């Protein structure tokens, strides 16, 4: 198969590309970074360097492809983030239609069933709605909260001796490891299926109290506490750390959606299966190695 991977060689793209090349597929990796070209080629894939917001560039590189892994970049600027994310998805959709790709796997998220109240995930809701109109087979791969996001808490642990967010300690959070996403994406890209399908990819479901206990034990701080911040405290902490106000507002809103359990509700109600292999205790070892 000829398979296109967007998202460059990030935490998902690199293992996904390596897996598909090993399976004998012809893989093209799209990246906006010219410096990634040699690393992509070293994996045995073809590099296509350009903007994911350029529908003509995408259509040229999608031409003749059997399948596409569509991943919108996680950081679409400090302002107009939802619009920029949606516009990138619209460019993908136009290119998919022009190239007549028959199989698409889109990286989406828990909470993408909601139009609002989910922070940056609202952009993925918009893209899912755009893709639903395409005449192609699509799997919306709705991923959990990335384990790797917890690396951002390391300065807080070292500086204040705590972990925390605007989420209660006993709320359930669906979590995921990028390698589990890559494995699920590889399987879906090689499937022959019809219509529009939703697949949740979750490695584990844990509460913040369980998360902080696992990390604290792994780093030799078994009494490490979880502190629930107010929305105002959480927003203020991010902006003081240099996060742009719009982004901080979206992340605060996402935390509120996890707090009131709307973001995780569809997964917990309709799937609830943590099918990924890398559980919290496994990732805690990775966390400790970065600490």
């Amino acid at each position: 198969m000829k398979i296109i991977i967007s998202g460059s060689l990030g935490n998902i793209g690199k293992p996904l590309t390596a897996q598909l090349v090993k399976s004998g597929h012809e893989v093209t990796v799209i990246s906006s970074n010219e410096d990634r070209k040699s690393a992509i080629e070293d994996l045995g894939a073809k590099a296509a360097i350009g903007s994911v917001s350029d529908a003509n560039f995408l259509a040229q590189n999608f031409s003749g492809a059997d399948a596409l892994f569509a991943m919108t970049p996680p950081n679409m600027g400090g302002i107009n983030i939802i619009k920029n994310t949606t516009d990138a998805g619209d460019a993908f959709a136009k290119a998919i239609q022009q190239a007549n790709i028959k199989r698409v796997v889109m990286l989406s998220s828990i909470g993408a069933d909601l139009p609002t109240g989910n922070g940056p995930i609202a952009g993925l809701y918009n893209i899912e709605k755009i893709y639903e109109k395409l005449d192609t087979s699509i799997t919306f791969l709705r991923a959990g909260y990335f384990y790797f996001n917890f690396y951002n808490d390391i300065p807080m642990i070292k500086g204040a001796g705590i972990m925390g967010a605007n989420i209660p300690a006993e709320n359930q959070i669906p979590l995921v490891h990028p390698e589990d996403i890559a494995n699920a994406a590889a399987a879906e890209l090689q499937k022959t299926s019809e219509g529009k399908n939703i697949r949740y990819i979750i490695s584990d479901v844990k509460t913040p109290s369980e998360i902080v206990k696992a990390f604290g034990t792994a780093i030799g701080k078994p009494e490490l506490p979880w502190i629930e911040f107010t929305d105002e405290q959480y927003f203020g902490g991010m902006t003081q750390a240099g996060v742009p106000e719009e982004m901080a507002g979206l992340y605060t809103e996402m935390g509120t959606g996890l707090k009131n359990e709307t973001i995780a509700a569809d997964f917990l109600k309709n799937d609830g299966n943590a099918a990924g292999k890398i559980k919290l205790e496994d990732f805690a070892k990775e966390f400790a190695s970065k600490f």
Side-chain angles (χ1 to χ4, degrees):
M1 294 175 66
K2 181 178 179 180
I3 301 176
I4 310 296
I5 306 297
S6 62
S8 193
L9 292 185
N11 295 319
I12 299 168
K14 187 173 182 178
L16 176 57
T17 298
Q19 187 174 158
L20 292 172
V21 169
K22 185 177 180 180
S23 296
H25 299 292
E26 181 184 344
V27 180
T28 296
V29 177
I30 293 175
S31 176
S32 61
N33 188 349
E34 178 71 35
D35 293 340
R36 290 284 193 175
K37 187 173 185 294
S38 59
I40 292 168
E41 292 173 347
D42 287 345
L43 287 175
K46 174 185 174 184
I49 309 300
S51 171
V52 296
S53 297
D54 184 343
N56 290 329
F57 161 76
L58 293 173
Q60 290 172 6
N61 286 281
F62 289 178
S63 180
D66 299 298
L68 163 70
F69 177 65
M71 176 179 172
T72 307
N75 184 3
M76 296 300 292
I79 59 172
N80 300 320
I81 295 167
I82 302 301
K83 181 181 184 301
N84 293 344
T85 302
T86 304
D87 287 348
D90 191 52
F92 267 90
K94 290 175 180 175
I96 290 165
Q97 192 170 36
Q98 185 174 334
N100 197 30
I101 296 178
K102 295 302 183 184
R103 180 77 180 124
V104 175
V105 177
M106 174 200 163
L107 181 62
S108 189
S109 172
I110 56 168
D113 56 304
L114 305 171
T116 59
N118 50 4
I121 302 169
L124 298 175
Y125 168 88
N126 294 341
I127 296 174
E128 284 197 16
K129 293 303 178 186
I130 292 169
Y131 283 17
E132 283 176 3
K133 299 175 184 178
L134 295 174
D135 183 22
T136 190
S137 168
I138 301 178
T139 293
F140 299 111
L141 195 60
R142 290 183 180 171
Y145 186 85
F146 279 35
Y147 283 133
F148 284 13
N149 289 338
F150 290 114
Y151 288 142
N152 296 327
D153 290 326
I154 289 177
M156 186 191 308
I157 298 171
K158 290 186 174 181
I162 62 171
M163 284 184 67
N166 59 336
I167 306 168
E170 299 309 319
N171 277 39
Q172 288 186 305
I173 303 177
L175 306 165
V176 73
H177 195 287
E179 288 185 16
D180 281 332
I181 297 175
N183 290 337
E188 291 293 335
L189 287 164
Q190 296 172 87
K191 277 185 180 178
T192 301
S193 62
E194 300 293 334
K196 310 297 188 292
N197 305 285
I198 294 170
R199 175 178 173 179
Y200 282 98
I201 177 61
I202 307 296
S203 300
D204 213 341
V205 179
K206 295 292 184 181
T207 65
S209 62
E210 292 171 322
I211 292 165
V212 77
K213 181 178 179 181
F215 291 167
T217 300
I219 64 174
K221 297 179 182 292
E223 303 304 319
L224 183 69
W226 177 268
I227 303 299
E228 181 186 351
F229 302 131
T230 65
D231 291 349
E232 292 76 15
Q233 289 170 332
Y234 194 51
F235 176 83
M238 282 189 284
T239 54
Q240 288 174 19
V243 178
E245 285 195 5
E246 183 177 329
M247 180 64 78
L250 289 172
Y251 277 119
T252 300
E253 184 181 87
M254 183 172 70
T256 302
L258 289 167
K259 174 167 55 180
N260 62 30
E261 300 184 327
T262 54
I263 286 178
D266 188 70
F267 164 70
L268 294 172
K269 177 183 176 181
N270 296 306
D271 189 316
N273 178 26
K277 295 181 179 179
I278 303 175
K279 303 305 177 184
L280 175 63
E281 291 73 19
D282 303 316
F283 175 68
K285 299 172 185 176
E286 293 183 46
F287 185 86
S289 71
K290 297 282 188 179
F291 186 73

